[in-house]
């Protein structure tokens, strides 16, 4: 199993290399000449050329890519064109809100979606099942920001139960923090819940037809224990896989949700960077998000061996 | 004598039915024949999701095509004097902060969404099909292509599209290209998987044994069998492309602001949404209904075209 883990970790290296190459090319072909920007309006073409040489911008693509990767690996993501702050510092300042939002959404979505899928599979063909499947189609169809606005309108503006927007740091207490994140989490969780509930239902339907479920029923196991102990355990692998893949939805959705609810996180940083064409920041954020995404799925692959002892590598 | 007395009850008629038991009406000699409705109407009756989805989608296509004839005004004409009017008989969906008619803008916005959705679905299916076929048939290319696709897939699609848009000018064409690039890896993987499993089919072996050349095998035996899953996938891509377009426009990295698209209308209404929510809600409703229509169509198509997949999800 150790050999498998090593192999699996090594397999992520080419994937991350492709991501890095893509993200680097992004800056490489980005319009605008950094040398000309630094030289300013008064500079002669000679000045610009000198700055270009001193920055190493005149060297071949692969040499620059190699150096850039070397810097990234040491944690140096470059400097923002707009604020002149190191990109890593800007990202560090914005991590907490985004991480809070995503973790809360993850917990919320999994704890709602899995029971939904299980019940839908148990009561296949009934009204409950149809309601769950209908909800899933809706979840896939109504975009994150639409759900966000509807929720904010009902629960913040009309009912005045929760704050309309903003973010309170976790340092200022758990409940103020939670209060600000409930609506964004529900909005962000919609698609994610739909995805997980669908897969849970489909896998459970398959598992519930297995012989060992009949055996469990025959020996007198209770309905709850059959569903959640015997069946769900055996349906876990596809469900956990989809939870991992769905993190991409969370990341993409966070960018929008943070805009709707004015949460000062990485999503807002991305949007601001795009509007200002701040390429080093865009680069850094994409690199970070992709890295997290790859890491999550790597951990899940390794987790399989733990949750399902039948899997042996 | 005693023997006949014992046998006697058997000879008598069966005991009359007790009063409390109702007697069923006799069955008719011939049961009325079940005639399944054939033709178009029958098809729609048997597949209500396709009927509803296609119906709503056609309605949207109609709205987009005939927007100028549906009592709309010029969607870009400014009239600061009558800005932010509430919905009324004159301005059905109200006016925005520049006095533009929201009803006209929403109707014209259907054009952008549908254009982007259909174009991305077609383009990414065609490109993904080509890449998937090459990958499934050319052994040495498979490893390289799939590593690149894995790399691209590990960047969340919305971020990938955002990154592409950050490089180029805002235009509908660039939005289509950016979303297509983000969707291609998934289609390629799907097609490759289908191709690899089809290659193991006995009829392909038979074709090879009969001396059929590879291009002809691809054309006659592989390609037709990939069309069903690709069609289903294309509808889902169409739905997600419409959402991504709206998200890109909403965060200011999509369709240029002068073109009314649902994402743009919502982006402009964002500043005022707490006081004038209708500017955001009307495009939101249209977007959600259109995406829902496409998703329903996709679910319906999946059920009839791809029974194996229908069972799994």
């Amino acid at each position: 199993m150790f050999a498998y883990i090593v192999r699996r970790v090594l397999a992520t290296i080419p994937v991350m290399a492709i991501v890095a190459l893509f993200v680097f090319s992004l800056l490489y072909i980005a319009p605008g000449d950094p040398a000309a920007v630094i030289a300013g309006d008064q500079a002669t073409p000679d000045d610009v050329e000198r700055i270009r040489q001193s920055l190493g911008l005149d060297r071949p693509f692969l040499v620059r890519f190699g150096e850039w990767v070397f810097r990234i690996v040491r944690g140096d993501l470059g400097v923002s064109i707009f604020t002149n702050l190191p990109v890593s510092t800007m990202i560090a300042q914005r991590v907490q809100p985004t991480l809070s939002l995503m973790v809360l959404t993850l917990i919320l979505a999994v704890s709602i979606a899995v029971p939904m899928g299980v019940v839908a599979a148990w009561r296949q063909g009934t009204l409950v099942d149809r309601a769950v499947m209908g909800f899933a189609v809706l979840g896939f169809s109504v975009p994150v920001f639409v759900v966000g606005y509807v929720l904010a309108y009902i629960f913040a503006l009309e009912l005045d139960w929760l704050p309309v927007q903003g973010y309170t740091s976790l340092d200022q207490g758990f409940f103020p923090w939670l209060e600000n994140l409930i609506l964004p989490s529900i909005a962000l969780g919609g698609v994610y819940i739909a995805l997980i509930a669908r897969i849970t239902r489909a896998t459970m339907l398959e598992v519930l037809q297995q012989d060992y479920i009949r055996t469990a029923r025959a020996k007198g196991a209770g309905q709850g224990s059959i569903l959640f102990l015997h069946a769900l355990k055996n349906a876990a692998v596809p469900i956990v896989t989809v939870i991992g893949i769905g993190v991409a939805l969370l990341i993409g959705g966070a960018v929008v949700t943070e805009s709707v609810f004015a949460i000062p996180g990485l999503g807002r940083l991305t949007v601001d960077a795009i509007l200002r064409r701040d390429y080093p920041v865009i680069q850094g954020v994409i690199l970070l998000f992709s890295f997290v995404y790859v890491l999550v799925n790597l951990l899940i692959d390794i987790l399989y061996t733990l949750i399902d002892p039948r899997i042996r590598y | 004598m005693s023997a006949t007395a014992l046998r006697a009850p058997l000879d008598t008629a069966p005991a009359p039915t007790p009063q409390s038991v109702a007697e069923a009406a006799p069955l008719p000699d011939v049961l009325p024949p079940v005639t399944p409705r054939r033709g178009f109407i029958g098809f729609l009756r048997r597949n209500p999701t396709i009927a509803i989805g296609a119906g709503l989608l056609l309605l949207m296509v109609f709205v987009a095509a005939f927007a100028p004839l549906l009592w709309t005004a010029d969607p870009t004409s400014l009239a600061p004097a009558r800005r932010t009017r509430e919905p009324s008989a004159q301005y059905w969906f109200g006016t925005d902060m520049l006095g533009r008619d929201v009803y006209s803008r929403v109707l014209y916005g259907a054009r952008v969404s549908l254009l982007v959705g259909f174009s991305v679905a077609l383009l990414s299916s065609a490109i993904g099909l080509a890449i998937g076929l090459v990958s499934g048939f050319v052994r040495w290319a498979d490893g390289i292509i799939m590593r690149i696709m894995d790399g691209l897939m590990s960047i969340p699609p919305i971020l990938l599209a955002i990154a592409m848009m950050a490089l180029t000018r805002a235009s509908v064409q660039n939005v289509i290209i950016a979303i297509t690039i983000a969707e291609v890896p998934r289609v390629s993987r799907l097609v490759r998987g289908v191709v690899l499993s089809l290659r193991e089919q006995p009829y392909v072996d038979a074709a090879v044994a009969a001396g059929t050349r590879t291009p002809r095998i691809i054309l006659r035996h592989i390609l037709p069998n990939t069309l069903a899953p690709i069609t289903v996938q294309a509808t889902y891509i169409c739905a997600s492309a419409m959402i991504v377009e709206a998200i890109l426009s909403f965060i200011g990295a999509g369709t240029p602001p002068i073109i009314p698209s649902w994402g743009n209308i919502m982006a402009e209404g964002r500043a005022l949404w707490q006081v004038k929510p209708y500017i955001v809600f009307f495009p939101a409703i249209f977007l959600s209904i259109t995406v829902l229509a496409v998703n329903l169509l996709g679910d319906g198509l999946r059920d009839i075209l791809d029974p194996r997949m229908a069972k799994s999800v």
Side-chain angles (χ1 to χ4, degrees), chain B:
Chain B
M1 182 70 200
S2 60
T4 39
L6 277 173
R7 220 184 299 121
L10 288 174
D11 293 333
T12 53
T17 318
Q19 286 293 308
S20 58
V21 176
E23 221 169 313
L27 287 172
D29 289 342
V30 182
L31 286 169
V34 180
T35 45
R37 242 185 212 267
R38 292 184 189 285
F40 187 60
I41 301 290
F43 175 78
L44 292 184
R45 278 215 166 166
R46 271 174 281 123
N47 301 283
T49 42
I50 292 191
I52 298 168
L56 283 174
L57 191 61
L58 279 177
L59 187 71
M60 279 301 161
V61 171
F62 174 83
V63 162
F66 298 102
L69 304 175
L70 296 170
W71 308 279
T72 53
D74 178 359
T76 54
S77 82
L78 308 178
R82 46 182 171 76
R83 62 179 184 270
T84 64
R85 294 275 172 85
E86 299 277 334
S88 62
Q90 194 185 357
Y91 306 107
W92 291 352
F93 295 176
T95 62
D96 67 8
M97 58 293 225
L98 295 172
R100 293 171 299 192
D101 181 30
V102 176
Y103 170 73
S104 309
R105 291 177 67 73
V106 168
L107 256 56
Y108 276 91
R111 293 179 166 188
V112 178
S113 265
L114 292 173
L115 179 67
V116 171
F118 292 156
S119 310
V120 171
L122 270 178
L123 279 176
S124 56
S125 303
I127 299 171
L129 186 63
I131 295 178
L133 281 176
V134 170
S135 198
F137 265 92
V138 188
R139 271 288 147 83
W140 61 268
D142 185 39
I144 305 169
I145 293 177
M146 281 306 126
R147 286 298 82 69
I148 295 175
M149 294 303 150
D150 283 349
L152 286 179
M153 270 165 79
S154 62
I155 305 174
I158 293 180
L159 281 187
L160 190 60
I162 286 177
M164 306 300 299
M165 288 311 295
L167 282 184
T168 49
R169 223 164 23 84
S171 75
V172 176
Q173 192 192 331
N174 287 341
V175 169
I176 292 173
I177 295 172
I179 306 176
T180 302
I181 292 175
E183 296 285 358
V184 161
R186 256 155 281 269
V187 191
S188 311
R189 269 226 167 269
L190 174 81
V191 175
R192 174 179 174 271
V194 174
V195 169
L196 286 184
S197 71
L198 287 176
R199 279 185 63 168
E200 304 298 318
Q201 295 293 316
Y203 60 79
V204 175
D205 285 343
V208 173
T212 319
R213 290 178 184 283
T214 309
R216 196 172 164 74
I217 291 180
I218 294 179
L219 211 64
R220 288 296 300 270
H221 300 289
I222 306 288
L223 199 60
N225 284 306
T226 58
L227 290 183
I230 279 214
T231 311
V232 174
Q233 187 72 11
T235 49
Y236 292 137
I237 288 177
C238 177
S240 103
M242 292 197 283
I243 292 184
V244 175
E245 186 277 328
I247 288 178
L248 288 176
S249 302
F250 181 73
I251 64 176
T255 311
I258 46 161
I259 300 175
S261 86
W262 291 333
N264 276 338
I265 303 169
M266 294 181 69
E268 287 153 11
R270 198 165 80 183
L272 286 175
W273 85 272
Q274 296 190 25
V275 273
K276 306 280 175 194
Y278 57 86
I279 304 178
V280 169
F281 283 158
F282 284 114
I285 291 166
F286 271 72
L287 175 63
S288 304
I289 289 177
T290 312
V291 177
L292 181 68
V294 179
N295 273 333
L296 286 175
L297 189 62
D299 283 354
L301 286 176
R302 185 195 57 201
D303 290 347
I304 52 172
L305 289 180
D306 200 351
R308 198 183 54 81
M309 209 160 110
K311 217 190 88 199
S312 70
V313 182

Side-chain angles (χ1 to χ4, degrees), chain A residues 13-33:
Chain A
I13 291 175
V15 170
M16 278 317 291
I18 299 286
V19 174
L21 191 64
F22 175 82
V23 172
F24 177 75
S25 315
L26 189 73
L27 192 68
Y28 191 79
I29 56 177
D33 182 352

Side-chain angles (χ1 to χ4, degrees), chain A residues 41-114:
Chain A
D41 296 338
Q42 308 291 316
T44 64
D46 282 349
D47 292 339
V48 174
E49 195 51 43
R50 206 164 341 98
I51 290 171
R52 184 171 293 136
Q53 277 179 12
S54 71
L55 289 172
L57 294 177
D58 56 340
R59 283 169 309 150
F61 177 83
L62 280 179
V63 174
R64 285 180 57 193
F65 176 60
E67 278 188 351
W68 179 81
V69 169
F70 193 65
R71 279 200 293 121
I72 298 290
V73 171
R74 287 181 304 169
D76 177 7
L77 291 171
V79 174
S80 157
I81 297 174
F82 197 79
T83 59
N84 270 327
L85 287 168
V87 173
S88 45
T89 313
M90 291 175 75
I91 288 178
Q93 287 168 353
R94 305 288 197 109
V95 162
Q96 202 211 44
T98 306
L99 198 64
S100 309
L101 177 64
M102 284 171 58
V103 170
L104 191 66
T105 309
L106 190 79
I107 296 170
L108 195 78
V110 172
S111 52
I112 292 175
V114 172

Side-chain angles (χ1 to χ4, degrees), chain A residues 31-298:
Chain A
D33 182 352
V37 174
I38 292 168
D41 296 338
Q42 308 291 316
T44 64
D46 282 349
D47 292 339
V48 174
E49 195 51 43
R50 206 164 341 98
I51 290 171
R52 184 171 293 136
Q53 277 179 12
S54 71
L55 289 172
L57 294 177
D58 56 340
R59 283 169 309 150
F61 177 83
L62 280 179
V63 174
R64 285 180 57 193
F65 176 60
E67 278 188 351
W68 179 81
V69 169
F70 193 65
R71 279 200 293 121
I72 298 290
V73 171
R74 287 181 304 169
D76 177 7
L77 291 171
V79 174
S80 157
I81 297 174
F82 197 79
T83 59
N84 270 327
L85 287 168
V87 173
S88 45
T89 313
M90 291 175 75
I91 288 178
Q93 287 168 353
R94 305 288 197 109
V95 162
Q96 202 211 44
T98 306
L99 198 64
S100 309
L101 177 64
M102 284 171 58
V103 170
L104 191 66
T105 309
L106 190 79
I107 296 170
L108 195 78
V110 172
S111 52
I112 292 175
V114 172
M116 257 171 79
V118 170
V119 171
W122 173 37
R123 291 259 173 258
Q124 188 198 1
T126 62
L127 208 63
V128 184
D129 183 25
R130 283 175 185 218
V132 169
M133 294 307 277
F135 174 83
V137 178
L138 268 185
F140 280 121
S141 306
V142 185
V144 177
F145 50 127
V146 176
V147 184
Y149 278 126
V150 171
L151 287 177
Y153 187 78
I154 298 172
F155 293 102
L157 285 184
E158 292 292 311
L159 296 173
D160 202 18
W161 287 353
L162 292 160
V164 181
Q165 49 188 24
Y167 175 74
T168 317
S169 169
L170 197 52
D171 315 335
Q172 290 170 324
F174 179 73
F175 284 102
W177 170 84
L178 191 65
E179 212 176 45
N180 263 311
L181 283 178
I182 289 176
L183 292 181
S185 291
I186 299 174
L188 181 56
V191 195
Y192 203 39
I193 293 174
L195 184 71
I196 300 172
R198 257 195 173 187
I199 289 287
T200 306
R201 174 181 176 274
T203 326
M204 285 292 287
L205 280 179
E206 218 158 276
V207 171
L208 286 176
Q209 287 175 356
Q210 301 295 318
D211 291 343
Y212 51 77
I213 297 298
R214 194 173 351 116
T215 309
R217 202 154 272 155
K219 75 172 189 188
Q223 188 63 51
S225 115
I226 288 175
L227 285 178
F228 287 92
L229 288 180
H230 294 82
L232 190 59
K233 218 166 155 184
N234 282 290
V237 169
I239 298 173
V240 173
T241 308
V242 107
I243 290 174
I245 293 170
V247 169
L249 292 175
L250 285 189
I251 293 172
V255 175
V256 190
T257 313
E258 288 179 11
S259 291
V260 171
F261 289 97
I263 297 170
L266 289 173
R268 276 301 293 271
L269 186 67
T270 316
V271 172
D272 292 344
I274 290 161
L275 297 180
R276 299 167 182 164
R277 308 266 147 159
D278 197 343
Y279 293 105
V281 176
I282 300 177
Q283 228 180 18
V285 175
I286 291 177
L287 215 51
L288 176 76
F289 275 140
S290 307
F291 182 67
V292 169
Y293 184 46
V294 171
L295 199 69
V296 166
N297 283 293
L298 171 70

